[in-house]
Structure formats: structure tokens, C-alpha cells
Amino acid sequence: FRLSDVYVQIYAFAVCMLAGALGGVLYEGAALVRFFTGNRAARAAADAVFFLLCVPLFAAAGAIFCLPSFRVYMLAAFGAGFGLYRKSLHRIVAFFALKLYNKYRSGSKKKNSRAVCAK
């Protein structure tokens, strides 16, 4: 047991959490497909594509950052990063998207912009 081994594991954990958060960004695309389609097959395909894209993301993070061989805590860190994204940043993005949507909807209800300018 060496102290440098601990630093490598902390580094790997942090990288895998970041990769999990990026996986959350990928999930937004799958969520859009799920939202706009009512077809079960399309929803299942969106989920399958999401999971198939997460595998190369996890492998690329390991290769780019020269992580040690696969450990279970790395997969747990990936899941934790994804969970943190879904519980925090996803809610922030959804809040601002709702604000933009409401602003758009309230702006489209104006009767006639010429009548406002004529006064």
C-alpha cells in the first residue's frame, strides 16, 4: 500500500464521476426522443442507444486519462456522476427551459403588435 496508489484511485474516481455527468448530458438527447415519441419501440431504441453510447464514453475516459484497469468503484463513480447530474444540473436546465417556454408562450398570446405601436 502506497500513498500514490490512493491518489490514483481518487483521480480515477473523479474522472469517472465527470464521465457519468457527461453521460447525463447524453441522456438529455434520449429524454428528448422519449418525450416527443409515444411509440414504445422508439423509446426502447432511445434507451438502448443511450446505454450503447455510455460504454464508449466510459472506455474513452479510461483511455484518455490513462486510468488503471477496471475496478468496481469506477463504475460506481460513473453512476454517482450520472445521479448527481440528474439531481442537480438536469433540474437547473429544466427550470430554465421551462422559463424560456413560458416566456415564449406569453409572448405569442399578444393580440396585435401594430395596435400596441399605434398608441
Side-chain angles (χ1 to χ4, degrees):
F1 175 75
R2 296 182 310 212
L3 192 56
S4 64
D5 293 338
V6 174
Y7 290 130
V8 168
Q9 291 177 358
I10 292 172
Y11 172 73
F13 191 84
V15 167
C16 289
M17 280 190 74
L18 178 64
L22 289 174
V25 173
L26 282 176
Y27 186 74
E28 293 297 328
L32 279 174
V33 171
R34 291 177 58 86
F35 180 75
F36 287 115
T37 60
N39 188 354
R40 283 187 181 183
R43 289 176 159 209
D47 287 340
V49 168
F50 164 69
F51 284 111
L52 289 175
L53 288 176
C54 278
V55 172
L57 176 68
F58 186 74
I64 291 170
F65 294 103
C66 300
L67 298 179
S69 61
F70 177 76
R71 304 279 194 268
V72 174
Y73 74 86
M74 296 166 88
L75 188 59
F78 189 87
F82 180 77
L84 281 173
Y85 174 83
R86 293 288 297 160
K87 291 294 180 186
S88 62
L89 191 59
H90 169 72
R91 290 178 184 233
I92 293 168
V93 169
F95 173 77
F96 284 114
L98 182 63
K99 286 287 189 186
L100 287 173
Y101 175 76
N102 288 338
K103 189 70 143 172
Y104 167 75
R105 292 296 291 172
S106 67
S108 66
K109 290 182 182 178
K110 292 183 181 176
K111 294 179 183 174
N112 189 355
S113 62
R114 290 183 190 172
V116 172
C117 295
K119 292 181 180 180

